[in-house]
Amino acid sequence: EVADAWAHLLRVQQVVVSGVEKDLKAAGFPPLAWYGVLMHLAEAPRGAARPVDLEKQMLMPQYAMSRLIDRLTEAGLAERRTCPSDGRGQFVVITDEGRAMRKKMSTAYAAILDNHIGTKLSTTDSVKLSSLLAQLL
């Protein structure tokens, strides 16, 4: 049963994430990882976070997060700033354009999630699934 649960978990994750990515792209939005970073930044104090904290929250390796931050800054959705108390440290800060993009994506993302998950699970089942997955963390 454990191996079956593992296999289903992996397959569902791949299928749902792929579907969400496809739907975001079709709606004209950037990839899901962009939304994740923008969401974390928007919710962070002063809209800023250290890259290492974003890596931990997003479960991404340093090189991938660095490239993602580069893309977000090139798009004007975030900017890199030097830490005032430690000149070697760096913060990533969400811009006004980044906040606007996150807000637009949030509405589409909610509908997309509902399509891929909400239409397939009752509210009770969603709560159960969330609880079960939280136990694994």
Side-chain angles (χ1 to χ4, degrees), residues 33-93:
W34 289 38
Y35 178 74
V37 171
L38 293 174
M39 181 184 70
H40 287 301
L41 290 175
E43 294 173 355
R46 295 175 303 283
R50 291 183 179 270
V52 68
D53 294 329
L54 291 171
E55 292 163 20
K56 289 176 186 174
Q57 290 176 337
M58 300 281 298
L59 304 174
M60 291 179 77
Q62 182 275 328
Y63 68 90
M65 181 56 67
S66 182
R67 279 191 241 147
L68 178 54
I69 292 168
D70 287 345
R71 289 183 187 108
L72 288 166
T73 58
E74 288 167 11
L77 303 177
E79 55 187 40
R80 294 178 187 263
R81 291 191 189 158
T82 303
C83 177
S85 62
D86 175 9
R88 295 171 297 161
Q90 194 176 75
F91 282 100
V92 180
V93 181

Side-chain angles (χ1 to χ4, degrees), residues 15 19 23 32 40 57 59 64 90-91 95 100 108 115 119 137:
V15 167
D23 290 352
L32 184 58
H40 287 301
Q57 290 176 337
L59 304 174
Q90 194 176 75
F91 282 100
T95 63
N115 181 49
T119 59
L137 292 176

